[in-house]
Amino acid sequence: MPKLKDLQARMKSIQDTQKLTNAMYMIASNRRRKSLSYLDHARPFFEAVRGEINQALPSLHRLNSHYLFPDKPAAGDPESWGILVISADRGLAGSYNLNVLKETDRLLAQNPGPNKLYVLGRQAQDYYQKEGRAIEALPHLDHLPPSFDAARQLTAQLLAAYDQGAFQKLFVVYTDLVNPLKEAAQSTRLLPFHREQLPGDLADNTAADTAQSSSFVYYPDAESVVQALIRSYLTGFVYGALLDSLSSEENARLNAMHQANDNARELMDLLRVQRNLARQETITSAISEVSAGAKAQEHDRAKRR
């Protein structure tokens, strides 16, 4: 049985830790609410741009653009992939960062070619630096929730690298907030586009297009319009992925802090029982000592008589 003093010191330490976890719980709850609010405000723009591309692409089968898959892919050297990885700067968020790293490693295993990693978040940056993987430089997002301007600059850097031929496919790995109890790390191909559908999964299979083909007049030309639409779409997607990842991170941290508080309460209950037992032992020992002392004095007085 631990000593009473040690039990009281441990209980004091747990109470101090609970103050921190409660504060982190409140901060995470507030940040999640804000990021979800920004995401709800950005969704109409994103859906509108997506709808315009969905209508325009079916009529662009003959457009020669490197943003669209060619009709007959040419065989050649192993292709390079550009992968944007969105992780967290901080830990204490359950398995949030671990799931992002697992999804990224799964994607890298599919294409062992000369891939380029664009990593946001110190957790993933530290991991891949320890693994010895080269990481492309990206501006640090100090402002949270991230701004649309930051997403625009990030998208411009990725598109510039794609235009220069640094990689042939562009993916993003982020975390989707499925519900308040679950987050799911996932990867999505952003470029190039299928000619008959928007990018939705990693497979290069052509699905039936649900949008109706329409006649368009492009000004100044079709390629310029498509490039502008795709740039707007990618900016909106990256912005949404940043906000969704931040919401998922804070949701994971909120759940982790909630679990930590529950564990702390259970441990405090156990320590209270041990403290009461230790107190009872101390009292019993003190009573026994007093009783023994009284009997010894009574025995001495009996001898003197």
Side-chain angles (χ1 to χ4, degrees):
M1 177 69 67
K3 294 183 179 180
L4 180 60
K5 185 177 180 180
D6 295 337
L7 288 171
Q8 290 175 337
R10 190 176 180 188
M11 291 176 69
K12 176 66 166 56
S13 176
I14 293 175
Q15 288 173 343
D16 292 339
T17 303
Q18 274 188 298
K19 293 178 182 178
L20 294 176
T21 55
N22 283 329
M24 293 181 67
Y25 180 91
M26 298 301 296
I27 294 172
S29 177
N30 185 53
R31 285 183 172 176
R32 185 187 66 171
R33 177 183 57 81
K34 285 185 177 180
S35 58
L36 287 175
S37 175
Y38 279 96
L39 188 60
D40 289 339
H41 292 159
R43 187 171 285 112
F45 166 80
F46 175 73
E47 294 297 336
V49 175
R50 179 172 180 169
E52 292 299 322
I53 299 179
N54 203 28
Q55 286 186 336
L57 283 183
S59 61
L60 299 176
H61 292 289
R62 297 181 180 179
L63 179 65
N64 185 19
S65 173
H66 64 293
Y67 292 135
L68 304 176
F69 270 115
D71 293 331
K72 295 181 179 179
D77 297 332
E79 62 182 6
S80 174
W81 289 2
I83 304 175
L84 172 62
V85 182
I86 304 176
S87 70
D89 287 332
R90 299 172 295 142
L92 297 177
S95 60
Y96 170 82
N97 290 298
L98 179 61
N99 292 336
V100 171
L101 295 174
K102 284 183 177 180
E103 181 62 23
T104 305
D105 289 342
R106 186 190 68 80
L107 197 60
L108 290 170
Q110 290 186 6
N111 185 57
N115 301 311
K116 290 186 176 296
L117 284 178
Y118 298 83
V119 182
L120 287 173
R122 293 191 182 94
Q123 296 293 318
Q125 289 174 355
D126 292 343
Y127 171 79
Y128 286 114
Q129 285 174 354
K130 291 178 181 179
E131 291 288 316
R133 285 189 176 272
I135 298 177
E136 304 299 321
L138 284 179
H140 183 67
L141 299 179
D142 293 321
H143 181 267
L144 294 177
S147 64
F148 191 79
D149 185 59
R152 184 184 294 111
Q153 294 178 7
L154 177 59
T155 303
Q157 180 176 346
L158 295 173
L159 281 175
Y162 181 80
D163 292 339
Q164 294 168 6
F167 46 82
Q168 286 73 52
K169 290 182 181 180
L170 175 61
F171 295 85
V172 58
V173 179
Y174 68 103
T175 307
D176 179 40
L177 182 59
V178 179
N179 57 57
L181 298 176
K182 182 181 179 182
E183 312 87 27
Q186 60 185 32
S187 53
T188 300
R189 192 195 69 251
L190 297 181
L191 288 174
F193 281 61
H194 283 303
R195 291 178 179 269
E196 297 185 5
Q197 71 176 60
L198 288 175
D201 50 35
L202 298 179
D204 289 343
N205 299 323
T206 302
D209 179 46
T210 57
Q212 296 180 352
S213 299
S214 304
S215 298
F216 290 88
V217 176
Y218 299 97
Y219 181 83
D221 54 68
E223 186 173 359
S224 299
V225 173
V226 169
Q227 288 183 359
L229 282 174
I230 289 177
R231 183 177 295 270
S232 297
Y233 173 81
L234 294 182
T235 301
F237 194 102
V238 170
Y239 182 56
L242 290 173
L243 291 176
D244 210 359
S245 294
L246 178 61
S247 301
S248 300
E249 175 193 347
E250 298 303 341
N251 189 73
R253 183 169 291 110
L254 187 148
N255 291 331
M257 293 304 102
H258 179 73
Q259 184 64 40
N261 285 332
D262 288 345
N263 293 338
R265 282 191 290 269
E266 292 178 3
L267 186 56
M268 285 292 290
D269 292 339
L270 177 61
L271 291 176
R272 287 191 185 97
V273 173
Q274 294 181 356
R275 182 189 63 183
N276 293 338
L277 290 175
R279 281 178 174 175
Q280 188 63 42
E281 284 187 1
T282 302
I283 294 172
T284 302
S285 177
I287 292 174
S288 298
E289 290 177 1
V290 170
S291 177
K295 288 182 179 180
Q297 289 181 357
E298 184 178 352
H299 183 68
D300 290 342
R301 283 196 297 269
K303 281 185 176 182
R304 292 171 185 173
R305 293 175 186 171

